[in-house]
Amino acid sequence: MHVPDGFINAPVSAVTGVIAAGAIAVSLRGARRELDERTAPLAGLVAAFIFSVQMLNFPVAAGTSGHLLGGALAAILVGPYTGVLCVSVVLLMQGILFADGGLTALGVNITDMAIVTTVVAYAVFRGLVKVLPRRRSSVTAASFVAALLSVPCAALAFTAMYALGGTTDVPVGKVLTAMVGVHVLIGIGEAAITALTVGAVIAVRPDLVYGARGLTAPLKLRVGGELIDAPAAEPVPAAARSARSARSTRRIWGIGLITALVLAGFVSFYASASPDGLEKVAHDKGIDAKEQPHRTGDSPLAGYGVKDISDARLSGGLAGLIGVGATVVVGSGVFWAVRRRRTQAAPAGPNAEAV
């Protein structure tokens, strides 16, 4: 759903740019409350993972493919404010390095793919976990539904922006029907990827899943046909607990980074070559009639390939590896700075309140 330059006119693009800038500013402040010593190192990894999985277009129907948007996944793993920043970092890297998504349309893309998906998904997720049983499987199920709904909502948002500032005269009703129809199918893939990823993390480190905090019911034992609270575990010294948590976090970070590199560098070669949902609708309905060339279309990595390398597998793999590396570096830098601001803003002294 990366919108190229020329689909949406300048006034609407400018308005969405203001909306995106405001949302990022709010998210930078909100992320200070979400990021702590456990999740801050992982936020950059989440951005890199989303970048890598977005390279894996999966077939949908009738010569159309889809890929992860990532708003639901990011919001549930690291929080909605941090999630907006994660997807925004991905879109920025894709637009600048890979000529994917127009630069004048960056506000459109951030509004649609980062803000709408994250807000919708997290609102649905929180609503579901309040009514579902308090167990880990409920978090996974809520993740599936939230991700599923976020994709057609993003399609609706694009249609609304097209209705306000589309550069062609294709009837909005036709755009709406086509966009929502194909993105409902893409949403199923989004939901499966999100649920599998959240389920995998929550199985080994539920404390790292932002959306699962405070949702795990206390352990119960059945004694004489009655459920009673399990006895408390022996207390672990704080230093040992901290060291154990740090080792576990580093292990997950390493596994996650290797997974992202493998997906982007190797598995992406086998992704579907069919146009994605927006490309297919734009071509079939004619809303791409005034598409403009990308401003970085001649960059060395444009089109997710390394310029002057003729071997397609090697070219795409190297581009994927570079993209993951650049995204994790930029993302980690952003979240480290946000975390540092939170630490500096925390009041000092024995009576200080937690921030």
Side-chain angles (χ1 to χ4, degrees), residues 295-324:
R295 296 174 185 272
T296 62
D298 58 350
S299 70
L301 298 173
Y304 296 94
V306 179
K307 192 175 182 179
D308 297 329
I309 295 183
S310 57
D311 185 279
R313 187 188 298 266
L314 179 60
S315 177
L318 285 176
L321 295 177
I322 293 169
V324 169

Side-chain angles (χ1 to χ4, degrees), residues 72 75-77 80 120-147 149 194 198 202 209-217:
I76 294 166
L77 287 180
V120 169
Y122 198 70
V124 172
F125 175 82
R126 294 305 303 176
L128 288 174
V129 295
K130 288 181 179 179
V131 299
L132 292 173
R134 295 170 62 86
R135 53 176 180 252
R136 294 175 183 178
S137 59
S138 297
V139 176
T140 304
S143 301
F144 184 94
V145 177
L149 294 177
T194 300
V198 171
I202 206 172
V209 179
Y210 182 89
R213 294 181 180 180
L215 294 178
T216 304

